[in-house]
Amino acid sequence: MSADTGYINARLKGMHSRFLKERDWDELLSSPSLEDLFSKLKKTIYGEHVEEGSKEKTGLEALDLALSLHWMATVFKIQSFLEGPLTLALNAYFWRTDLANLKAVLVAIIKGVEPPEPPPVTGLLNRFHLQELSRGKDLPQIRNMLLAWGHPFQELLSSLPQDIKEPKTLELFLEKAFFQFLRKNLKGPFSLKASIRNYWKTQIDLLNLRGALFLENLPDRAHPELFFIPGGRFIGFTEFSRLTNKALKETTWRRIARIEEMRFLQNVKGIEDLEKTIPKKRLENSRRRYRNDPLGAGVLLAFLEEKELEITNLRLIGRSIYYQIPANEVREFLVV
């Protein structure tokens, strides 16, 4: 492994040390108002951007702007010293972020509802792009926008069936198309390949678990092969297919849950439990990757994942204060 990667990871570890700590979360959760939350955040690494966001916006809009500015500043800083194969790892993470944000826009179009406000964490599709996409009327129009911007996902959307009516079906098609796109773009020999591949294998397993439970509950039973994502570590097509079958699901689930890395499934009883568990599992995997892959892509991917989750936590706290949700109810949803 090159000395350059060691230098880059040393820089990332220095940034990693500035994440919010347990005592910070307790203090932020106790904030009686958004003004008090902003006052506390000004004493953290977010301070400069909270000041800037508060000059332009108020309330939750100010918080979202501050978090967005912080994310972009963090990414720009990383890009200033990143080079070599780690640049590809960063781009792949941006693509995953674009997938999540694009998914939210397309699901809103299918449902015929207003798309959500652009989130603070963005990839190659920035807040301007997402605002423009939210004005789209259908898949072809969204694809044309991506084509005009030169975004590679226009190819991904071309592979989707054009008559999708069920939001969950759209999500499953998008996720499978994304990993086909990812495999194509990560082909070829390069250093850190195993490190990056292991990261995505874990992501695929989590998505296949989620996808299988979605399929089980769809009104029209679709063939599992349409939605199975190959390339995971533990969930092959046989396990995926069995999980979509109500008669085989329970025994298959128990068998998978006996695998050491999948034991978290023992306490998961359904799709809602899994949705809450996946972010916490991502954080656990991220911290393990940070420790076990000191000279690979693990430090970069762990940093990005933990920063994204930290920003999501802050956004959740802001909304809980605004809507006056008790702190003890919010605490269990924080991923820390």
Side-chain angles (χ1 to χ4, degrees), residues 254-282:
R254 286 201 302 267
R255 186 162 59 249
I256 295 171
R258 286 197 288 268
I259 301 170
E260 183 176 355
E261 291 88 342
M262 307 298 282
R263 283 182 183 165
F264 71 96
L265 295 176
Q266 292 174 356
N267 298 318
V268 173
K269 304 303 180 186
I271 188 65
E272 290 184 4
D273 280 351
L274 186 63
E275 293 279 34
K276 288 193 293 185
T277 301
I278 283 179
K280 295 179 180 180
K281 186 62 179 175
R282 281 177 57 198

Side-chain angles (χ1 to χ4, degrees), residues 280-300:
K280 295 179 180 180
K281 186 62 179 175
R282 281 177 57 198
L283 180 60
E284 178 189 319
N285 289 339
S286 174
R287 288 173 174 167
R288 183 184 301 115
R289 198 174 298 116
Y290 177 83
R291 295 190 304 270
N292 297 345
D293 192 17
L295 293 177
V299 176
L300 171 64

Side-chain angles (χ1 to χ4, degrees), residues 1 5 33 67 71 85 125 252 290 307:
M1 193 61 62
T5 301
S33 65
L67 296 176
W71 171 257
L125 295 173
T252 306
Y290 177 83
K307 177 55 70 174

